[in-house]
Amino acid sequence: MLLTDGGEPLRTAAPAVRWTVEQVLALAPDDASRKAGNKLGSAGPWSDTGWDGPGAVWGLCKGSGSKPYRTVIDTTGPAYKCSCPSRKFPCKHALGLLLLRASDETALPAAQPPDWAAEWLADRRRRAEAAALKERPEGGEDASAGPADPEAARRRAERRAERIGGGVQELERRLTDLVRGGLAAAEQTGYGLWEETAARMVDAQAPGLAGRVRELGAIPASGPGWPVRLLEECALLHLLDAGWQGIDRLPRPLAATVRTRIGLPAPPGGAPVRDHWLVLAQYDTPEGKIVARRIWLYGRESRRTALLLSFGAAGRSPGQALPVGTTLDAELTPHRGAGQLRADLGTQFGTPAPAGAPPPPGVTAGEAIAAYGRALGEDPWLDSWPVTLRDVIPVPSRDGWQLADAEGDSALPVAPAALSRPALWKLVALSGGGPVTVFGECGHRGFDPLAAWPATPARPAGTETETPVETVPLI
């Protein structure tokens, strides 16, 4: 039986949540899974279904074999288990079961889970208790205080730094040869040279450099103006190489950023922040042979934006998943590094609540560009910066679309990557020619919209609470 586990169990019990259809579809690892899950989102193939108060949903789904697939979901993770052979998290059966519950509140009865589901749920609870004990051992000692042998860890770090240094020198030689031979030659050499160089960076234990080298290989086939883009990326790579070679002379925050960009792990280093975090967006991007999942959150009280990052390898979807538009009461621990927003999800104090929440406070297009510029001062390799635009209208332009201030004379072009997504038309339909609030990533390629909220009526005089509205995912 294949275990498809999408997250760690929560430390506390809470009532089960019933997500909306769009929130369920936002959990799908790809479009094929969304389509397959939609086909299973009716009562026809399901039997022995149910849900319980602590957050479990289960059912039997008729498949091509003689035995139905057993599917159970813990919405507090969320996490999934299914007896089907799929290696996607969640699989189409889990999506279908959640869609069935989302579309019809009476489709699944409240009940006690069957033995096969209860056993898995009990095991998750045991693991949660064990994790809690590990974090708070008897005697108050920190179980994660550091390596058992600091000297051995220091030697390993020195050996890795030496290998990275060798990889940086080789990359500098490749960049020098490219510039001396002329950028036009890059179109004839093909992708093979860059893939070979990326493999050398992996051997040098510098995965961050490997990823940027692979991006170089794709630029010559990216359309008109590619030589300019190739030169820009080569300059950024040279700057990163120079940063590593002189890392001892850099300010501590910038040095931490260089290490992160090279590919060294950056453990959490700040104090945990507890807040009610609104899930703004979730999307996957391929990075070599792995898939990276990015989840953007916004803290209602702290007014902080945070990024949860997880990875899946060998055809497996990343385990961490949160429904877009839900609010999560949890602790986040930020990572070190200048300009970095990445954080780790810590203790959760309840299940993700599906109720609508007000969007983050927005800025104008000009203020968004200024925010990205300030972030570049701390991290020159930053491709984009998360911002929320308020009162913007999507309008067509000569080269595509742009988001124009409703009461101003500035606008941001929509990034080329977003122009081919069907969700762009969802944004246009949501606007209907009127202003909307849009969250996305603002960078040198334009603005990539990830979520939107319709315009809300003005608050009555003397009212301080914001009006909850549904988050519309755009990716």
Side-chain angles (χ1 to χ4, degrees):
M1 180 178 291
L2 176 66
L3 176 66
T4 60
D5 193 349
E8 287 303 314
L10 298 182
R11 310 296 166 83
T12 59
V17 296
R18 178 171 166 259
W19 298 324
T20 67
V21 170
E22 284 203 332
Q23 288 167 347
V24 173
L25 292 177
L27 296 172
D30 49 43
D31 288 335
S33 297
R34 290 188 187 93
K35 294 177 182 178
N38 265 318
K39 294 179 180 179
L40 297 175
S42 60
W46 292 97
S47 62
D48 295 334
T49 57
W51 65 274
D52 68 2
V57 181
W58 62 87
L60 302 178
C61 186
K62 183 180 179 181
S64 57
S66 58
K67 295 182 179 180
Y69 294 121
R70 294 177 170 181
T71 306
V72 57
I73 303 152
D74 181 0
T75 61
T76 64
Y80 325 88
K81 180 184 179 182
C82 186
S83 58
C84 74
S86 174
R87 298 184 68 84
K88 295 181 179 180
F89 306 143
C91 67
K92 63 181 182 180
H93 304 100
L95 289 171
L97 184 57
L98 288 173
L99 287 172
L100 175 61
R101 175 162 166 74
S103 59
D104 185 357
E105 187 174 5
T106 63
L108 276 65
Q112 292 294 320
D115 292 343
W116 56 269
E119 181 180 352
W120 178 71
L121 293 167
D123 179 64
R124 285 179 57 76
R125 286 193 292 269
R126 286 193 294 269
R127 284 190 283 131
E129 294 170 358
L133 289 174
K134 184 177 181 181
E135 292 180 2
R136 295 183 293 273
E138 292 184 5
E141 295 181 0
D142 186 358
S144 58
D149 188 349
E151 181 61 25
R154 184 188 62 79
R155 290 195 297 269
R156 287 194 299 270
E158 289 178 349
R159 288 195 296 269
R160 182 170 186 178
E162 184 177 351
R163 284 192 290 268
I164 292 174
V168 164
Q169 292 177 3
E170 180 173 345
L171 179 57
E172 281 294 287
R173 288 194 293 270
R174 297 285 177 99
L175 293 176
T176 300
D177 292 342
L178 173 65
V179 174
R180 284 176 177 172
L183 297 181
E187 197 171 23
Q188 281 75 43
T189 56
Y191 190 76
L193 174 64
W194 300 108
E195 185 59 37
E196 177 190 347
T197 305
R200 287 288 300 114
M201 297 304 103
V202 172
D203 293 341
Q205 294 186 292
L209 288 178
R212 300 192 77 93
V213 168
R214 290 192 181 96
E215 292 178 3
L216 285 182
I219 291 177
S222 62
W226 68 264
V228 174
R229 294 192 292 275
L230 181 61
L231 184 60
E232 290 173 348
E233 293 301 321
C234 287
L236 286 172
L237 258 180
H238 171 68
L239 181 64
L240 186 55
D241 290 345
W244 175 261
Q245 291 170 332
I247 197 167
D248 293 338
R249 300 188 298 274
L250 297 178
R252 182 173 298 179
L254 184 57
T257 297
V258 169
R259 292 188 183 95
T260 301
R261 293 298 183 185
I262 288 287
L264 292 175
V273 179
R274 181 177 177 179
D275 207 335
H276 290 84
W277 300 93
L278 172 63
V279 184
L280 299 172
Q282 173 181 294
Y283 65 95
D284 296 346
T285 54
E287 296 186 0
K289 296 182 179 180
I290 65 175
V291 174
R293 172 165 295 168
R294 290 169 170 81
I295 303 176
W296 285 109
L297 305 175
Y298 175 76
R300 183 60 50 197
E301 287 78 30
S302 65
R303 294 181 175 266
R304 297 178 62 161
T305 302
L307 174 65
L308 303 182
L309 192 60
S310 58
F311 300 92
R316 298 171 65 93
S317 300
Q320 199 168 59
L322 293 172
V324 174
T326 58
T327 301
L328 180 65
D329 183 5
E331 287 183 343
L332 297 187
T333 304
H335 283 230
R336 299 185 182 94
Q340 299 298 308
L341 296 173
R342 185 180 174 186
D344 282 359
L345 180 60
T347 304
Q348 302 176 42
F349 301 94
T351 57
V363 299
T364 65
E367 291 170 336
I369 295 174
Y372 176 50
R374 289 191 297 271
L376 279 176
E378 297 181 335
D379 183 354
W381 305 277
L382 191 66
D383 290 326
S384 59
W385 187 254
V387 294
T388 301
L389 299 177
R390 68 167 184 264
D391 296 333
V392 292
I393 302 174
V395 295
S397 64
R398 185 181 62 181
D399 300 322
W401 285 82
Q402 59 184 5
L403 298 176
D405 285 333
E407 298 180 357
D409 56 359
S410 58
L412 285 175
V414 174
L419 295 176
S420 59
R421 294 203 299 262
L424 176 62
W425 297 107
K426 184 189 296 186
L427 175 61
V428 175
L430 181 68
S431 166
V436 291
T437 298
V438 185
F439 168 79
E441 297 172 353
C442 179
H444 61 279
R445 295 183 179 90
F447 185 86
D448 192 352
L450 303 177
W453 297 264
T456 56
R459 290 178 290 176
T463 302
E464 294 184 358
T465 58
E466 297 178 274
T467 304
V469 291
E470 181 181 348
T471 303
V472 179
L474 299 177
I475 191 169

